[in-house]
Amino acid sequence: MSIGLAAGLFFGAFVLAESGSWVGAALAALFLSPFYGIRVARRMSRAWPGARDLDSADRMAVVRATRRGEGIGDARLAPAVIDYAGALRTAREQDRVFRWVVLLFAGLAVALALSDTFTGSTRDALVSWLVVAFFLVELTWWPRKQSHVMSNAERAETLAREVLRPHTPGE
């Protein structure tokens, strides 16, 4: 739910910057926080159903080790690392399908920013260009960050499989 709160506050700040309305900002934050939080939680519960079988400390340990590319150090959690790495792969593949949507909206954001620059208020233009900047981050920085996380997840998965592999004497 913390991701939902962050998203709600982020979009509420955009509404405030765009309209100057505290009421609109509060409504955006109040509506979008639970909406986004529930959406993310449902998506991950479908991608990683095994998370339900872990308590919060174990789940956090699995996520941390997998995202950092570290060994879990606990054989009972090794299968969860493997499952979570698979969930990250699934989520990334699903995100690739919608890459064209991001490109489309980035183009629309540039068009809106240009329109606001020439016909809108200074505040509208600044907010519109800020949206364009966020799309640039989405199109440039985020794929590199995802690749780094996936590389770490593969390393953690390999280490988890080694923990599960039976060792014969003399190895």
Side-chain angles (χ1 to χ4, degrees), residues 69-75 78-79 81-82 154-168 171:
E70 300 170 348
I72 192 68
D74 185 346
V81 169
I82 295 166
E154 289 171 9
R155 184 173 32 256
E157 184 177 14
T158 299
L159 293 170
R161 288 187 190 286
E162 287 177 11
V163 167
L164 293 175
R165 189 182 69 193
H167 293 283
T168 56
E171 266 190 29

Side-chain angles (χ1 to χ4, degrees), residues 51-137:
R52 285 179 277 233
D53 300 333
L54 302 173
D55 64 32
S56 62
D58 286 345
R59 194 169 41 249
M60 287 174 52
V62 167
V63 169
R64 187 179 316 112
T66 306
R67 288 181 164 270
R68 291 180 179 173
E70 300 170 348
I72 192 68
D74 185 346
R76 74 181 175 83
L77 295 178
V81 169
I82 295 166
D83 287 345
Y84 182 61
L88 289 174
R89 269 192 300 281
T90 299
R92 186 171 190 197
E93 288 304 315
Q94 290 171 349
D95 287 346
R96 285 184 186 182
V97 172
F98 295 105
R99 200 76 181 145
W100 67 271
V101 174
V102 174
L103 286 169
L104 174 68
F105 279 103
L108 293 172
V110 169
L112 179 63
L114 288 169
S115 173
D116 285 346
T117 298
F118 295 114
T119 62
S121 69
T122 302
R123 179 171 61 189
D124 289 345
L126 288 173
V127 171
S128 293
W129 285 109
L130 185 59
V131 170
V132 170
F134 284 119
F135 273 109
L136 288 175
V137 166

